[in-house]
Amino acid sequence: MDNLENELLNLGKENVEMPKSVRTKVDLSYHIIRNSEKRKSHKKWVAAAAILVTSLTVATAMTPQAQASIKHFMENFGVKAVTTAADNGYIQKTSSSVKSGKNIDMSLNSIVLDSNSLVLDFKVKYKNDEYNKKYYDIGLLPNIEVTDNNNTIIYSDSKPYSKDRAFAGGDIATKLQSDGIHFIMSLGSTNISVPDLSQLKINISSISAVDSNDNSAKRLFDEKVNWSFETTVDKKFKQNTDIMYKLKDDSAPIEIVSAKLTPTGFTISYKDKQNKNSNAEDIGSSFLTANNKMYPVTSSSDKDGIITADFNNISSFDKCGDITFNLQYFSQDGIKKIVLVK
């Protein structure tokens, strides 16, 4: 289970006072995650995230304890590194045409790509103007498939999961910007190499929306579409932007498999030499420190004794020097401070 899911499950079980509308969203999100049959069930996770993201808009009436609980989840959910990268020009604006359906119009506004993430930024407009006014209460669920210049599928939300794909599910956000409503998907890279992309083709076969204010996540619409967005990938994304890190002290309690900082985040894969049975679910309190700032773990996974932790709030544009990996297990006391150097 990802740490984001753990955080949501813990929040759903907490006995804190909060407005009924917020509690409804938290309970619904908790229900969606708790009843998900597959950990990689992208639609269920997107629905839960979309519901909870809106909760903070009415959090001002909550108790400090409830505010802190939601704020902690929101900080973990965010994709701050992507924002930092975009603010530093590491973004490609696209000029796709607007695709129009019965319920919604959509266009591809921009992309961000590195070895850590593929970010797709869509501009959307609902045909029902009431939906545009309450965009923050709507969970958008598109069926998306992304292919490269060789027509190889690198991400799919409409086909069964395959370990051979370069990207898997990640974070989503719906934001109101100066030019309208944006739906943003940040897809995390898998363990295989990200292909050398010169073209991206994004196909959407259907799109649905749910009312996150409704306790049963009522469907607002389900629409079959046949939309395709194509874009040439900017040359700047082909440059190697990875900054590799290694242990400062070889006597550290972990063995580094890989540690890299990219424009959209930091990823570390390691083996714990002292705790052979450690796993991804146990490291949810871990965090990085760099430049006198703290960056909490945003997701984790484990396979064949290798634990991978992702930190999506730190960017290579933050100009970090040494990074300290503060490894903390739920099942153990104390923090292991592991210094990483370039």
Side-chain angles (χ1 to χ4, degrees), residues 173-201:
T174 302
K175 298 181 178 180
L176 181 63
Q177 299 182 6
S178 58
D179 61 343
I181 302 168
H182 288 247
F183 175 73
I184 302 167
M185 298 181 67
S186 179
L187 307 175
S189 66
T190 58
N191 292 328
I192 69 170
S193 299
V194 175
D196 181 15
L197 299 173
S198 59
Q199 290 283 134
L200 273 183
K201 184 176 182 180

Side-chain angles (χ1 to χ4, degrees), residues 247-271:
L247 291 171
K248 183 177 182 179
D249 183 355
D250 289 336
S251 65
I254 66 172
E255 175 189 342
I256 298 291
V257 176
S258 174
K260 66 178 180 179
L261 179 63
T262 75
T264 66
F266 180 85
T267 299
I268 181 170
S269 297
Y270 68 93
K271 294 181 180 179

Side-chain angles (χ1 to χ4, degrees), residues 45-54 77 136-140 172 174 212:
W45 174 238
V46 167
I51 291 164
L52 192 61
V53 161
T54 65
F77 177 77
Y136 45 82
D137 277 334
I138 296 177
L140 203 56
I172 62 100
T174 302
S212 61

Side-chain angles (χ1 to χ4, degrees), residues 8-24:
L8 178 52
L9 290 176
N10 291 334
L11 179 57
K13 290 184 286 189
E14 286 182 10
N15 184 22
V16 296
E17 294 180 7
M18 57 182 72
K20 183 179 179 180
S21 57
V22 177
R23 171 51 70 184
T24 297

Side-chain angles (χ1 to χ4, degrees), residues 237-336:
F237 295 142
K238 296 185 178 183
Q239 300 172 5
N240 183 7
T241 56
D242 296 354
I243 301 175
M244 305 306 296
Y245 277 77
K246 60 184 179 181
L247 291 171
K248 183 177 182 179
D249 183 355
D250 289 336
S251 65
I254 66 172
E255 175 189 342
I256 298 291
V257 176
S258 174
K260 66 178 180 179
L261 179 63
T262 75
T264 66
F266 180 85
T267 299
I268 181 170
S269 297
Y270 68 93
K271 294 181 180 179
D272 195 313
K273 295 187 289 189
Q274 296 179 349
N275 301 286
K276 302 294 185 182
N277 296 322
S278 59
N279 58 66
E281 293 186 23
D282 203 21
I283 68 166
S285 297
S286 299
F287 58 96
L288 301 178
T289 49
N291 297 339
N292 295 316
K293 295 181 180 179
M294 185 181 78
Y295 304 91
V297 62
T298 46
S299 65
S300 60
S301 60
D302 58 79
K303 183 180 180 182
D304 299 330
I306 298 175
I307 297 177
T308 299
D310 300 306
F311 301 82
N312 293 339
N313 291 320
I314 184 172
S315 169
S316 55
F317 287 102
D318 290 323
K319 302 186 184 304
C320 301
D322 294 353
I323 293 176
T324 300
F325 177 36
N326 300 272
L327 179 58
Q328 186 173 18
Y329 292 107
F330 286 130
S331 60
Q332 299 175 20
D333 293 330
I335 299 175
K336 300 175 182 178

